[in-house]
């Protein structure tokens, strides 16, 4: 006797017997609902076709602006503006130096004029005196026409301004900061706008001897501006007054970082910071190649003094009482951070207490260029003056 196979009910009505099974969803339908099921699949096929046609049309359009294009355009405009600002500052600084050099040359030339008049009147000069005067005049002429003591230093970059490749990660690097986002695709571009470094005008010592009197052209230092606050690692820090003030939210306890706008690779620089409000603060430098981050004093490339605590953080490690540091920095105090790239050291001078502390920087841990780095927490307000 043949075995009777039980009939599967329709998944739609549970009443009529299922007479056909869909090869996709593997469900049984009665005649009516099977036809409706096929109609719904046809409608879905139409929607897929519409999406295909829309995407094909977008690909055929020439005026489609990709989001990456917008980001590149934004980076381009920002970089051009920054380059213009830096170039203008370099021109101003160079003009100041040249004016100072002219003033010193006039003073030295005046001393020679006096010596010439005195020697001619007394008829007291020899071939040696004439040779010395001619040599000094030639040196001053060279300084006026082509100052050999001035140089333009441009920071060399190992990366192009923008590189596009294929990686699993897209990185967009803004000034002194990095935003990394993971993607699953292997074909996304990597856009890396590189920092625009400031042009530094370096002036070396030049001395011109006038006979037996040292009438020297003074050593001219082209002082960099004190700089301003720039990038921050968290929205808990607010930059105000055109970069002169950094304010931390009262309830912030994550130690966000705020960095200066200038990079330091040579020369001696001074930055004065006033504690208008202070709950917690760590002051120092870090290598500009280190990504901006909360708790910046934990970075292996940083050196910090802790305001209000005798803790000094060197390359991520704590050192109590380092160099006699007592942490006596309070509200109302003004500190001066001295960055000496030539001797590879930094110093913190409390102008209120007249106490000075120094750190010799290991450039293997903290390579050039350096950048001002401050981590703050709580209701703290700092001003660069």
């Amino acid at each position: 006797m043949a075995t009777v196979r039980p009939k599967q009910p329709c998944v739609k009505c549970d009443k009529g017997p299922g007479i056909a099974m869909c090869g996709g969803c593997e469900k049984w339908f009665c005649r009516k609902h099977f036809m409706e099921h096929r109609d719904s699949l046809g409608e879905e096929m139409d929607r897929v076709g519409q999406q295909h046609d829309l995407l094909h049309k977008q690909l055929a359009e020439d005026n489609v602006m990709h989001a990456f294009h917008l980001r590149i355009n934004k980076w381009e405009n920002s970089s051009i503006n920054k380059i213009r600002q830096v170039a203008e500052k370099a021109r101003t600084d160079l003009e100041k130096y040249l004016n100072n050099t002219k003033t010193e040359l006039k003073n030295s030339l005046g001393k020679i004029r006096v010596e010439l008049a005195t020697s001619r009147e007394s008829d007291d000069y020899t071939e040696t005196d004439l040779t010395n005067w001619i040599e000094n005049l030639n040196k001053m002429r060279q300084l006026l026409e082509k100052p050999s003591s001035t140089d333009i230093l441009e920071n060399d970059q190992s990366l192009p301004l923008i590189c596009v490749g294929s990686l699993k990660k897209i990185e967009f690097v803004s000034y002194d900061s990095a935003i990394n986002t993971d993607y699953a695709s292997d074909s996304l571009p990597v856009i890396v706008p590189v920092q625009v470094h400031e042009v530094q005008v370096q002036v070396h010592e030049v001395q011109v001897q006038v006979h037996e009197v040292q009438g020297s052209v003074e050593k001219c230092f082209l002082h960099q501006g004190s700089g301003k606050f720039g990038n921050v690692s968290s929205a808990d820090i607010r930059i105000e007054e055109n970069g002169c003030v950094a304010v931390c939210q009262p309830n912030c306890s994550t130690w966000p970082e705020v960095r200066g706008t200038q990079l330091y690779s040579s020369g001696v620089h001074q930055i004065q910071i006033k504690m208008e409000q202070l709950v917690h603060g760590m002051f120092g430098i870090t290598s500009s190649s280190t990504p901006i981050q909360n708790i910046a004093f934990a970075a292996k490339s940083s050196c910090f003094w802790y305001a209000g605590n005798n803790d000094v953080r060197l390359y991520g490690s704590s050192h109590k009482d380092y160099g006699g540091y007592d942490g006596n920095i309070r509200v109302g105090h003004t500190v001066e951070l001295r960055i000496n790239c030539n001797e590879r050291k930094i110093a913190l001078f409390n102008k209120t207490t007249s106490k000075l502390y120094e750190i010799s920087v290991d450039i293997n841990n903290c390579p050039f260029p350096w950048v001002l780095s401050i981590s703050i927490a709580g209701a703290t307000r700092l001003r660069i003056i």
Side-chain angles (χ1 to χ4, degrees):
M1 180 177 178
T3 302
V4 178
R5 187 186 62 167
K7 294 183 178 180
Q8 296 291 332
C10 173
V11 296
K12 292 289 186 179
C13 60
D14 285 333
K15 296 179 180 179
I19 62 172
M21 183 181 71
C22 175
C25 64
E26 297 184 351
K27 295 178 181 179
W28 287 87
F29 298 89
C30 64
R31 180 187 297 274
K32 175 184 176 183
H33 289 121
F34 182 78
M35 298 304 297
E36 291 179 356
H37 181 63
R38 292 302 301 172
D39 291 341
S40 66
L41 291 180
E43 293 174 357
E44 186 66 24
M45 172 63 77
D46 292 339
R47 285 191 290 271
V48 172
Q50 291 173 1
Q51 292 186 22
H52 166 271
D53 294 342
L54 178 61
L55 181 58
H56 184 271
K57 180 181 178 181
Q58 290 176 337
L59 288 174
E61 293 177 353
D62 295 332
N63 60 345
V64 177
M65 180 65 74
H66 197 281
F68 287 140
H69 290 128
L70 297 176
R71 295 176 70 180
I72 292 174
N73 293 343
K74 181 179 179 181
W75 169 84
E76 178 187 25
N77 293 331
S78 176
S79 299
I80 290 173
N81 290 335
K82 186 173 181 65
I83 290 171
R84 287 174 176 168
Q85 293 172 7
V86 172
E88 186 60 32
K89 182 179 183 301
R91 293 189 192 98
T92 302
D93 290 343
L94 181 60
E95 195 62 33
K96 289 179 181 178
Y97 161 70
L98 293 177
N99 290 336
N100 290 337
T101 300
K102 288 181 179 179
T103 300
E104 295 297 336
L105 288 174
K106 288 179 181 179
N107 293 337
S108 297
L109 194 61
K111 293 179 181 180
I112 292 179
R113 182 174 61 251
V114 172
E115 286 201 356
L116 288 173
T118 302
S119 298
R120 177 178 291 145
E121 182 178 353
S122 62
D123 198 23
D124 181 17
Y125 53 90
T126 65
E127 292 87 347
T128 302
D129 297 323
L130 294 172
T131 300
N132 288 335
W133 286 324
I134 291 174
E135 288 180 354
N136 285 318
L137 289 172
N138 288 335
K139 288 180 181 178
M140 284 187 279
R141 180 178 293 105
Q142 291 177 3
L143 284 174
L144 180 62
E145 295 176 354
K146 187 178 180 181
S148 61
S149 59
T150 305
D151 195 11
I152 303 298
L153 303 180
E154 299 184 43
N155 290 317
D156 186 23
Q157 296 296 325
S158 59
L159 289 174
L161 287 180
I162 296 182
C163 63
V164 179
S166 296
L167 292 177
K168 290 185 178 180
K169 182 180 290 186
I170 176 168
E171 300 179 355
F172 191 94
V173 183
S174 61
Y175 297 110
D176 297 326
S177 66
I179 304 174
N180 298 329
T181 307
D182 291 326
Y183 290 88
S185 174
D186 288 332
S187 59
L188 290 172
V190 176
I191 304 177
V192 185
V194 179
Q195 300 170 354
V196 179
H197 295 291
E198 296 199 5
V199 179
Q200 299 176 349
V201 184
Q202 188 179 43
V203 184
H204 304 288
E205 181 178 7
V206 179
Q207 291 189 341
V208 179
Q209 292 185 345
V210 181
H211 198 39
E212 294 181 355
V213 180
Q214 264 193 337
S216 64
V217 176
E218 297 290 332
K219 176 186 276 189
C220 297
F221 293 98
L222 185 59
H223 295 289
Q224 302 290 333
S226 60
K228 295 181 179 180
F229 293 122
N231 287 341
V232 298
S233 65
S234 167
D236 287 327
I237 294 182
R238 185 174 67 255
I239 304 300
E240 298 179 347
E241 297 186 27
N242 195 28
C244 293
V245 175
V247 182
C248 187
Q249 298 296 329
N251 60 349
C252 175
S253 60
T254 57
W255 288 91
E257 179 188 12
V258 56
R259 289 188 176 180
T261 57
Q262 292 192 0
L263 302 179
Y264 308 105
S265 298
S266 63
V268 180
H269 312 266
Q270 297 178 347
I271 309 166
Q272 294 187 26
I273 304 171
K274 185 174 183 180
M275 314 292 130
E276 294 189 342
Q277 291 179 267
L278 180 63
V279 176
H280 297 291
M282 300 280 276
F283 302 85
I285 63 166
T286 190
S287 176
S288 64
S289 61
T290 302
I292 193 168
Q293 59 191 287
N294 290 356
I295 316 179
F297 49 85
K300 300 296 184 181
S301 59
S302 62
C303 299
F304 284 85
W305 289 277
Y306 191 169
N309 189 297
N310 65 342
D311 190 13
V312 177
R313 294 298 180 99
L314 303 178
Y315 321 116
S317 300
S318 174
H319 299 264
K320 298 290 185 179
D321 302 313
Y322 180 90
Y325 180 65
D326 60 6
N328 184 19
I329 300 176
R330 302 286 184 263
V331 175
H333 286 194
T334 296
V335 299
E336 185 177 87
L337 183 63
R338 300 173 180 176
I339 301 176
N340 190 332
C341 301
N342 298 337
E343 298 183 8
R344 298 176 181 177
K345 66 172 58 175
I346 60 174
L348 184 71
F349 177 62
N350 190 327
K351 301 189 69 174
T352 306
T353 64
S354 297
K355 292 184 177 180
L356 177 67
Y357 310 95
E358 289 188 346
I359 296 175
S360 294
V361 181
D362 182 354
I363 62 170
N364 292 321
N365 291 321
C366 185
F368 293 123
W370 298 340
V371 63
L372 170 67
S373 177
I374 299 175
S375 279
I376 52 180
T380 297
R381 179 184 177 92
L382 309 176
R383 178 183 296 274
I384 291 180
I385 59 178

